[in-house]
Amino acid sequence: MTLRLALAGEPLPLVGRARAYVCGITPYDTTHLGHAATFVWADVAARVLRRIGVEVEMCRNVTDVDDVLDAAAERAGRRFDSFAAVGQFRFDRDMAALGVRPPTHQPRAHNHVDGVVRLASALLERGVAYERDGEILFRAAATGLDVVEVPPDASEVPPSRRAEDPRDPTVWRPATPGEAAWPSPWGEGRPGWHAECAAMALSVLGPAVDLHVGGADLRHPHHTGMAAMAEALTGVRPFARARLHVGTVRVDGAKMAKSAGNLVLVADLLETHPAAAIRLLLLDRPWDRPWDLAPGALDAAAGRLERLFAAAARNAGGVATDAVVAALLDDLDVPAALDIAENEGGEAARTALSVLGLT
Ligand code: ZN
């Protein structure tokens, strides 16, 4: 039997190589547990694919051209790029601590502004975008974006006042005085968020990807907008063959966010718990469901980790190893894989710990 990964019940056949695009961080207030969940799951998907002999080319961007980042930099009295560099340093340190392998490519938005200008020009040429007072807007109605059902945890992007239709996302917009701005045929301006990611994905990985990863709150309008722009440019559909939209981490029912004042930072958790326990806390659950960070959950994960280490030290045959890998290939079912590992012990447990990056 050929080993292959299935996600959300859909098989994802691959021949030796996979391209994955991970919507990365806006480098400020990093790294909270919600961010970490997305990148740890992306890492596990890649590790599971490597286990079955698929080489993974992963591109994880850094959104360092962003209005919220700029506002935070201004409050700190810093230039946006040096402020972002500090945020990214902290993020990289947290990812290394959590055992997340560095991506193959880590493009930064400020190096791809030219790409957004090219994207905007091409979309105008194709008649799926229009210009209003120096802003380029993408026509949602021409591309099926207007029929997307908006999920309850969608990220909020206020519509542009220049939009003909409030669902039309911005590809490029004029800068306001004092903002970092770049030249374009429509005057000094800044890229739209979805357009930035589309330009980075297209220039780094080419016209389509096998896996698109991001937090569930990015499903719409960010991922739908980005995919629609890429597809309108290339004609290659779908932009992403499969998606890994990682469930939102909540505290007392509220999404973890700076605005909610409920951030739990990885760096703080690392002071009291082993990194592998934090990783296990994020992974020992279905990847697509939102969950609440309960008091004591991290201690419970640390306990499970101890039991897994004890199981791995047992002298047991390797007959259950295939079952561990099969569980991981079946929609990245980590809880099932770990149950087998804990019960069977030996090689099966060592395999689970190794593939999941828990050793
Ligand atoms: Zn993105």
Side-chain angles (χ1 to χ4, degrees), residues 21-24 61 63 193-194 196-198 200 212-213 218 222-223 226:
Y21 187 87
V22 185
C23 275
N61 77 289
T63 306
W193 178 33
H194 320 325
E196 270 178 2
C197 264
M200 286 187 269
H212 192 180
V213 186
L218 298 188
H222 184 53
H223 284 182
M226 173 186 167

Side-chain angles (χ1 to χ4, degrees), residues 131-153:
E131 193 217 331
R132 289 285 176 280
D133 307 326
E135 178 163 348
I136 309 300
L137 292 127
F138 185 64
R139 276 189 206 286
T143 56
L145 249 190
D146 59 330
V147 295
V148 171
E149 198 179 318
V150 180
D153 53 1

Side-chain angles (χ1 to χ4, degrees), residues 1 12 40 49 56 102 133 138 152 173 202 207 210 217 258 261 327 343:
M1 194 189 84
L12 180 64
V40 167
L49 287 172
V56 180
D133 307 326
F138 185 64
R173 70 164 176 81
L202 291 169
D210 298 294
D217 55 334
K258 184 151 195 159
N343 292 333

